[in-house]
Amino acid sequence: MYPISFASVITEGSSTRCVTATATIAPGSPGISIRGVTASATREIRMLVVAAARRRGISLPRKAVTVELDFDVPFEDTSELALAALLSIAGTICPRSA
């Protein structure tokens, strides 16, 4: 599976923020690792990603999943980062046919 990057522009009130999430899936201990945010944000994003994946019927792989988050200014709302993370994971495990 090839890494997929998901880029998005999020507007909150009068400020616009850019976020990129890149998911990589590799052999290893199953789990989701989130990089680029604090430990508390990592826990919250991981919880949101797992819940959203279950709700949408997306089976997360039983492999090591790493999501690298990159954004231009800090986010206060981790749900936006979780959405970007989930979309990059989904794109990596379910790539579109050519």
Side-chain angles (χ1 to χ4, degrees):
M1 292 179 221
Y2 298 100
I4 297 292
S5 291
F6 175 80
S8 179
V9 176
I10 300 164
T11 303
E12 293 178 322
S14 62
S15 61
T16 301
R17 300 169 183 194
C18 299
V19 61
T20 302
T22 303
T24 305
I25 299 173
S29 295
I32 299 173
S33 173
I34 309 290
R35 296 187 180 157
V37 293
T38 65
S40 61
T42 295
R43 287 187 297 273
E44 186 174 342
I45 291 168
R46 186 183 305 117
M47 180 186 69
L48 290 168
V49 165
V50 170
R54 283 186 186 147
R55 181 158 172 86
R56 286 162 180 76
I58 298 170
S59 296
L60 296 174
R62 305 250 338 126
K63 296 183 178 185
V65 177
T66 302
V67 178
E68 184 73 39
L69 295 171
D70 183 31
F71 39 89
D72 54 355
V73 293
F75 278 80
E76 295 175 17
D77 187 2
T78 55
S79 63
E80 298 293 348
L81 296 174
L83 175 62
L86 177 63
L87 292 175
S88 67
I89 293 169
T92 301
I93 62 176
C94 306
R96 291 195 303 179
S97 299

